[in-house]
Amino acid sequence: MLLTGTYDRTVDDKLRLAMPKPFREAFEEDRQLVLTPGTDGSLSLFSGRIFAGLADHLAARSPSGQEVRAFSRLLYAQSRSVELDSQGRIRLPAELAKLGNLEGDVVVLGVGDHVELWNKSRWEAYLADLQPRYDQLAEAALSEREAAVNGRPPAEAETRIMQPR
């Protein structure tokens, strides 16, 4: 199931965050979740199965590459297992809550295979910056995807996407 949608939530004084119902349902079978530093100032929440796939992908990369080693250290050292409690909440580890500046109002996003947790004002600034460029971002992202699927260079794929079929 693809995780989609945007939900406003509040982190309570005990650093608990109630997961939106669609996400609770998606995580029903895998209640053991992994919370990691995300990108652009967010935190990422993965099911254990998806996180294991990410770990496999990372392990397939060259361990001698400096960026791979550095990213692996940062990711694994800061990632924490979290569980959905009986009320559908997770408890944010204090160090990750601080890293993501998550207190009070937050935004919970479905991003395909994982969930992102954002400080609400940071998310609003991010959205205000990128939403006007949605079409450009879509074209670039989908051109790269089609190129990868069809084994063509991105420029050739971009031309094909722009032509009627």
Side-chain angles (χ1 to χ4, degrees):
M1 173 179 173
L2 287 178
L3 302 168
T4 62
T6 303
Y7 303 87
D8 290 326
R9 290 291 188 263
T10 302
V11 174
D12 70 15
D13 293 339
K14 295 180 181 179
L15 297 177
R16 294 177 301 195
L17 175 67
M19 282 287 111
K21 186 177 181 180
F23 301 159
R24 288 194 315 264
E25 291 172 351
F27 292 139
E28 246 173 9
E29 292 180 22
D30 196 355
R31 295 182 72 85
Q32 190 67 31
L33 309 173
V34 181
L35 187 64
T36 73
T39 55
D40 303 310
S42 68
L43 298 182
S44 294
L45 182 66
F46 296 92
S47 70
R49 182 181 57 79
I50 296 294
F51 188 75
L54 174 65
D56 289 344
H57 179 75
L58 194 53
R61 303 290 309 255
S62 172
S64 62
Q66 183 177 3
E67 289 179 344
V68 173
R69 287 192 322 268
F71 177 73
S72 294
R73 288 178 186 133
L74 290 172
L75 177 70
Y76 293 127
Q78 298 177 91
S79 296
R80 298 288 182 270
S81 289
V82 296
E83 288 185 23
L84 283 171
D85 68 14
S86 61
Q87 296 178 344
R89 301 173 300 192
I90 60 169
R91 186 182 176 288
L92 303 174
E95 63 278 5
L96 284 172
K98 183 178 179 181
L99 182 67
N101 194 23
L102 299 180
E103 59 183 6
D105 294 334
V106 300
V107 178
V108 180
L109 312 173
V111 190
D113 67 349
H114 69 284
V115 170
E116 289 184 352
L117 312 177
W118 285 75
N119 168 285
K120 185 171 182 159
S121 59
R122 183 179 283 162
W123 169 250
E124 289 171 347
Y126 182 86
L127 192 59
D129 181 43
L130 292 180
Q131 188 65 46
R133 298 186 304 150
Y134 181 87
D135 291 344
Q136 292 170 302
L137 294 169
E139 186 176 310
L142 295 174
S143 293
E144 289 176 18
R145 168 80 173 121
E146 184 166 320
V149 168
N150 295 318
R152 291 190 315 272
E156 182 183 335
E158 186 174 318
T159 303
R160 183 168 172 219
I161 285 177
M162 302 307 284
Q163 295 173 346
R165 295 185 180 184

